[in-house]
Amino acid sequence: MAKVFMNDVNEYPMNVIAENFATAEVGATKLNEPDDEEEDEKQVQEGSFQVTGTTWEKRPDIFDDKDMFEPPKDVKVVKGCTAEELLAIWMDQDVIIYNIGDSVRQSEQASEAITALHEKIGDIDHKITFVGVTNCLTWARTKPDDPEEPDVPFTEDNYRRRKPHGNYKNQSSTEKLILKYGKTDKNKLSTYVVTAGLLYGKGEKVFHGFFKDAWFGVPQLKTIGLGEGNLPTIHVLDLSCVLRHIADNSISTRFIIAIDESQCTQQEIVQAISENVGSSKVEKGPKDNSILRPIVTQMDVDQLMLDLRLEGTCIQDSMNIDWVCASGMVENIKAVVREYRVARNLIPIRACILGPPGVGKSTLAKKLCEEYKVNHVHAKRVIEDNFQLLQRSIARVNEEGHDEDDEEEAQLCREKLQALEEAKEENNGRYGEEHIMGFFKTVLTLPPCKNQGFILDGYCKTTEQAETMFARDPDDEEEEDEDDDGLSYNKDIMPDVVFVLEASDEFLKERVMHLPESIVQESNHYTEEKFTAKLEEYRRLNADDVTIANYFDELEVHPVTINVEIAPSVNNLEPVLKKIREKIGKPRNYGLTAEARQEKDRLEKEAEESRHRREAEIREKLAREDAIALRQERAKWAAVYADVLREEEEKEAERAGPMRDYLMKNVMPALMSAMVQANQVRPADPVDFIAEYLFKHSEDLVETTRRPKQ
């Protein structure tokens, strides 16, 4: 097992290269005959590469979360290491690969790594291969040997006189440092610099802006500048194969150009992307490219504005490369598009909802389309979309820059519109079934449905309709995809999942009766007569074995049957939605744009602040009400308490009356006489005096109290 270290394994392209190394066998690219220049040929090792890597957090120049990837599961990720800890990791590796082409940070880290290894070269006990991977911008200002022959490509032999783009001098200096330190002791530290063409495949980076614009349905892709310069390119897996070859073999060439065989311009590449993902329309950008679009970075612009011819003689003559895209991006665009969709989880969701009238097909389809960001395809929309397409094609001849093809297309569209109107008049103001099927098929093949996907609402109704609509176009048989495997249908518009909704007639009638007035007014299908007729027709068409559901089942698109009566009420379809979500899975799209995400965050923040304000107002109101209630309660109890006290005083006074009368009659006269005498005598002990006085004169005092008053 060979140990390999890589930087930024959560970013393109190193995440792809790391995964490729982690799953590849050591020695798979080993040459039969070793290079004679290297006496210490590498020993053949068995097993896969053991990959260790660092990650990098989201940078300010990253515009989309999908530009960051999860590190491959078989890669050991190291984080938060000190310089000493990193050096110990590097010293234990067999191969170290640094991507230095995407930022100054990367080139500075690579310079630190190779410098640290070089300083410890005496302590290295095995051979370490250090590879710096850069891009073509370090050649951007290189002048041809013969100005009269500018198309002669540069090769590895010209690397000493390469001149970098003004923004990439730092990367150029790192390249020179890597090659310099590799000359000290090749048996311990062997170094290489690999100049890679513009990378494509497995998710994209420099070309991602074009793919994304096309995926979102931008009417015309716009090149960066005029797009007429030649762009050296290479598939990221082919670059990985070059790096694995360096890891498996001792290569005498220290500076390697890694590009494919193509000689394509930016405009040719963008045209291929537009034709396979977008509208097929491409517009040239301004010559000076003074206006940058938010979807591209400055480095993307610098690379896309290149006009450079390179030739990789080393990989042609000295390497065992199992090419993925030797002929380039344009020739392999269909495979590249498939990789883009898989890598960025943009596989379109294609679903169909069937069922009797009134069962809730349109309601469910609308909610699912809003949730999954896919297209709601129904009869009314396909008619409108087809007429808008025809009218736009006719209007294009009035736009500046139109050509003869536009005029021919406009004429064909006028004739088609006229034919449709005539057919509609002959059919009592309705379009024939063949026209409706054509409308559906046209919409399903447009970029929005091909890219984001669709929910097909209640169509087709019969097997015959489905066989006609989903049939492969004979004109496309020459371009048969290797994945088609002789299919009788067009897999690009065939639903991947079909839902058949079921319900009893009684349930359906009750549901229609409880539909919101707005829905009933939008359609005349819910009158009793028309609804009953449509329900009877549906039951008739689905009574035999030859049904639309069986058509899909025979094509291995097994329908999922859902009884809508599981809903708690006729208009609550949430249980049905839950079952559909479980089958479809999570959304597969870009999610919100940066602007939409900011707007969503702003609205959520405002909603949160508004909620806090409402809660504070409610708390204040409740506090005021509680205070008022408390004051009222206290006043009430104070009044009750006062009444109780008054009643107690009255009762006490009532109880004390007889005793007072008795004392006043029998005691107070004698006591008052004693007290008067005590006041006159002023004895030292008045209490004893009064007691003695009462004792001595008790009989007289008693007689006095008994004598009736005159």
Side-chain angles (χ1 to χ4, degrees), residues 201-357:
K202 305 298 281 187
E204 308 306 322
K205 185 170 185 179
V206 65
F207 297 110
H208 180 220
F210 300 118
F211 277 91
K212 189 173 183 179
D213 275 349
W215 191 88
F216 273 113
V218 173
Q220 293 186 109
L221 297 188
K222 183 179 291 187
T223 61
I224 303 297
L226 298 178
E228 297 173 349
N230 184 75
L231 299 181
T233 57
I234 187 170
H235 193 285
V236 64
L237 290 180
D238 291 329
L239 172 61
S240 183
C241 191
V242 170
L243 297 174
R244 285 196 291 114
H245 186 95
I246 294 173
D248 286 338
N249 300 274
S250 294
I251 308 298
S252 59
T253 304
R254 300 295 170 178
F255 193 100
I256 299 167
I257 295 176
I259 59 172
D260 54 37
E261 299 171 358
S262 65
Q263 297 288 333
C264 296
T265 64
Q266 180 201 152
Q267 186 173 12
E268 291 169 338
I269 293 172
V270 174
Q271 184 66 49
I273 295 171
S274 183
E275 289 175 357
N276 287 270
V277 185
S279 64
S280 299
K281 302 293 183 181
V282 175
E283 177 186 359
K284 289 186 177 182
K287 184 176 181 180
D288 59 356
N289 202 63
S290 56
I291 302 175
L292 296 181
R293 301 198 298 278
I295 203 167
V296 295
T297 66
Q298 183 59 52
M299 192 190 76
D300 294 337
V301 172
D302 293 339
Q303 291 191 80
L304 292 167
M305 294 284 283
L306 278 171
D307 183 11
L308 183 65
R309 294 185 181 275
L310 298 175
E311 183 178 353
T313 57
C314 179
I315 62 174
Q316 294 174 6
D317 302 336
S318 306
M319 290 192 179
N320 180 22
I321 304 298
D322 185 11
W323 286 93
V324 173
C325 292
S327 54
M329 184 176 182
V330 173
E331 291 293 322
N332 298 277
I333 189 63
K334 290 186 181 297
V336 173
V337 170
R338 283 197 298 270
E339 292 176 354
Y340 156 74
R341 287 175 172 155
V342 171
R344 293 187 176 268
N345 193 30
L346 298 174
I347 305 300
I349 292 173
R350 297 187 287 257
C352 177
I353 301 180
L354 303 173

Side-chain angles (χ1 to χ4, degrees), residues 22 34 50 54 63 84 92 138 157 184 234 262 422 471-472 479 492 539 547 574 590 608 645 679 691:
Q50 179 181 320
T54 59
F63 292 97
E84 292 75 14
D92 189 45
T138 56
D157 295 335
T184 303
I234 187 170
S262 65
E422 292 174 356
R472 294 189 60 185
E479 300 181 5
D492 291 332
R539 298 300 187 202
T547 65
E574 187 57 37
Y590 274 103
E608 184 71 9
L645 284 178
N679 184 53

Side-chain angles (χ1 to χ4, degrees), residues 650-662:
E650 291 173 353
K651 289 179 180 179
E652 186 65 26
E654 186 178 348
R655 288 195 299 269
M659 181 178 67
R660 184 171 60 252
D661 293 343
Y662 171 79

Side-chain angles (χ1 to χ4, degrees), residues 1-5 40-43 45 87-96 117 120-130 185-191 247:
M1 179 176 288
K3 297 180 179 180
V4 182
F5 178 90
D40 57 328
E41 77 175 61
K42 298 181 179 180
Q43 299 296 318
Q45 295 175 300
L87 178 59
I89 294 172
W90 295 330
M91 296 280 285
D92 189 45
Q93 304 300 307
D94 297 302
V95 181
I96 299 173
L117 286 169
K120 293 289 185 178
I121 197 167
D123 298 332
I124 298 176
D125 57 5
H126 65 287
K127 186 173 183 178
I128 298 176
T129 301
F130 191 102
D185 189 343
K186 296 180 182 179
N187 293 325
K188 290 188 175 183
L189 185 59
S190 180
T191 62

Side-chain angles (χ1 to χ4, degrees), residues 624-695:
R624 289 194 301 271
E625 292 175 351
D626 289 344
I628 293 172
L630 182 60
R631 287 195 298 271
Q632 292 174 344
E633 192 70 15
R634 284 176 175 173
K636 176 183 176 182
W637 281 106
V640 171
Y641 183 64
D643 291 342
V644 170
L645 284 178
R646 186 174 62 255
E647 290 176 2
E648 289 293 328
E649 290 173 355
E650 291 173 353
K651 289 179 180 179
E652 186 65 26
E654 186 178 348
R655 288 195 299 269
M659 181 178 67
R660 184 171 60 252
D661 293 343
Y662 171 79
L663 292 174
M664 292 298 292
K665 179 180 180 182
N666 299 302
V667 177
M668 289 305 296
L671 184 61
M672 286 298 294
S673 178
M675 291 173 66
V676 168
Q677 290 298 321
N679 184 53
Q680 292 175 355
V681 176
R682 302 289 176 111
D685 188 351
V687 175
D688 184 66
F689 176 84
I690 291 172
E692 186 67 26
Y693 180 85
L694 291 173
F695 181 73

